[in-house]
Structure formats: structure tokens, C-alpha cells
Amino acid sequence: MSTTAVKAGEIERSWHVVDAQGLVLGRLATEVANVLRGKHKATYSPHLDTGDHVIIVNADKVVLTGDKAEKKMVYTHSGYPGGIRSETFAHKLSRKPEQAVLDAIRGMIPKTRLGRAQIKKLKVYAGPAHPHEAQKPQPLEIAHAVARGQDEQGRS
């Protein structure tokens, strides 16, 4: 029995939607990164983009465990000497929730041409609405990412 390699034209992509309300950011990011890379499929190949599209809604309601929201610092650099800036993760999450979630997932994707193609299949929205209803996205359940003290619906 030989191993069959999937060709680029044979890859079937589906759309998934994730409601991030009450989910822990790191656990959400690992699961979404695996779906974007295609590691959840039997046809996974590390040199091909076999992943699916993922839509994340309610990115502003994602949580961090412990006191990481206040202690975790996020750094950006303008490229000029002395151009480094820092802010707490809670401040970035309140200012740009889509970018905070996107950066967490981007850190778990390879830093190559393939990784740049994979991260383009991710769409992040701060609120509950998204413009991708025509693609008929299926809900992606991430049960182990629910924060402690919250039920299945993400409510306290």
C-alpha cells in the first residue's frame, strides 16, 4: 500500500466560523492555526496549503488566563532608531481586538511563503456579524478553550 500525495487542484476547502466569546486566546489560536494549515485533515502535507478558511467573530470578547492581560506587553517597532513602542495586551485588545487575535494566530503559522498564504484564509471580526454568509460556514467547536467559570455558551 503506497502513500498518496494530494495535488494542488484536488484540495477541497471548507469554511468554518468560530465564536470567540469567552474563549481563551492561546487555546483558540492553536486550534485555528491547525485548521488554517490543514493538520486536521488526513490529506495534510507540510509543503502544500491544504487548510480551510476560518472566520472568527466576537474577537473583542476573547479572554486571557491569569493576569496576562495586564502584565503581558506587546511591542511594535517602526524601523527607525528608538522607534520601539509597548503597550499592555489589555490595551491592545480594547483598541484593536481583530489585530490582537490575528497576531496571536500568526505567531503559530510558519514564517514562509506558505505561511503567508495560509494566514490569508483567516478573517477576524470584533463583533458578531461577518460578510461571509454566502460561503455557508460551518461552526467550529473548540470545547477545551472555554475559560473556567463559564458554561458552553461562553457566559458567566
Side-chain angles (χ1 to χ4, degrees):
M1 184 171 205
S2 63
T3 303
T4 59
V6 65
K7 295 179 180 67
E10 299 172 350
I11 299 170
E12 295 182 14
R13 300 191 198 286
S14 57
W15 286 72
H16 303 282
V17 64
V18 177
D19 187 5
Q21 181 175 355
L23 297 183
V24 178
L25 178 63
R27 294 177 185 171
L28 167 73
T30 55
E31 290 296 319
V32 170
N34 283 338
V35 172
L36 288 173
R37 293 193 67 197
K39 287 186 142 191
H40 65 294
K41 295 181 179 180
T43 59
Y44 170 71
S45 191
H47 67 284
L48 290 175
D49 184 9
T50 58
D52 294 339
H53 296 269
V54 178
I55 305 162
I56 298 177
V57 294
N58 290 324
D60 55 346
K61 294 180 177 73
V62 76
V63 296
L64 275 75
T65 58
D67 55 356
K68 279 185 251 173
E70 296 301 326
K71 289 192 175 179
K72 181 178 175 70
M73 299 299 288
V74 179
Y75 298 97
T76 57
H77 199 283
S78 66
Y80 289 97
I84 195 161
R85 300 207 173 145
S86 64
E87 64 181 336
T88 63
F89 199 85
H91 186 257
K92 182 167 186 171
L93 198 58
S94 66
R95 202 169 50 87
K96 291 183 177 178
E98 301 97 344
Q99 191 66 38
V101 172
L102 182 70
D103 288 344
I105 297 169
R106 184 182 286 140
M108 299 181 184
I109 299 285
K111 282 71 173 167
T112 59
R113 272 187 277 181
L114 183 62
R116 288 189 291 276
Q118 290 168 344
I119 199 70
K120 286 180 184 174
K121 296 187 312 249
L122 175 66
K123 313 293 183 203
V124 183
Y125 300 100
H130 63 85
H132 305 285
E133 287 300 325
Q135 283 73 28
K136 298 183 180 92
Q138 302 299 318
L140 181 68
E141 296 299 323
I142 305 173
H144 69 276
V146 176
R148 287 186 184 147
Q150 295 188 352
D151 63 359
E152 300 84 34
Q153 301 300 320
R155 295 184 195 97
S156 303

